[in-house]
Amino acid sequence: MLVIPTQLTHAQAAACARMLAQALQSESQPQAVVDASPLQAFDSSAIAVLLECRREALAMGKTFAVAHMPARLRELAVVYGVSELLQPAA
């Protein structure tokens, strides 16, 4: 499972996206699951990072899901019209 930091705003987005991309490459599982439970302070950049991670995972032939997404992050995904792309982990 891939874990994101407690703070994910515009200032941390590029570094977090790189970290997740590297972790994806070392992950041998067919499903990439991001654990969003650590998130405490975030902005819409968190959505962008998750979408980038999803794109990377799909390009590698993996499925993608987000576990433990905070309610505010789910609301942002709905506002931006991308909630169907950030499905919860089973």
Side-chain angles (χ1 to χ4, degrees):
M1 188 171 295
L2 307 168
V3 180
I4 53 180
T6 59
Q7 184 172 350
L8 183 46
T9 61
H10 180 72
Q12 298 88 19
C16 184
R18 281 191 304 274
M19 179 217 34
L20 287 173
Q22 289 174 345
L24 269 174
Q25 291 181 3
S26 65
E27 185 73 32
S28 62
Q29 299 297 319
Q31 182 179 37
V33 179
V34 174
D35 180 4
S37 64
L39 273 179
Q40 295 176 7
F42 56 89
D43 60 17
S44 61
S45 298
I47 296 291
V49 167
L50 289 172
L51 290 173
E52 175 63 16
C53 186
R54 178 184 183 273
R55 187 190 68 74
E56 294 272 343
L58 294 178
M60 298 171 75
K62 298 175 184 265
T63 59
F64 180 81
V66 181
H68 313 294
M69 189 182 294
R72 277 186 41 235
L73 191 59
R74 279 195 306 273
E75 291 168 8
L76 274 177
V78 169
V79 167
Y80 286 103
V82 297
S83 59
E84 69 279 354
L85 300 176
L86 301 175
Q87 293 298 311

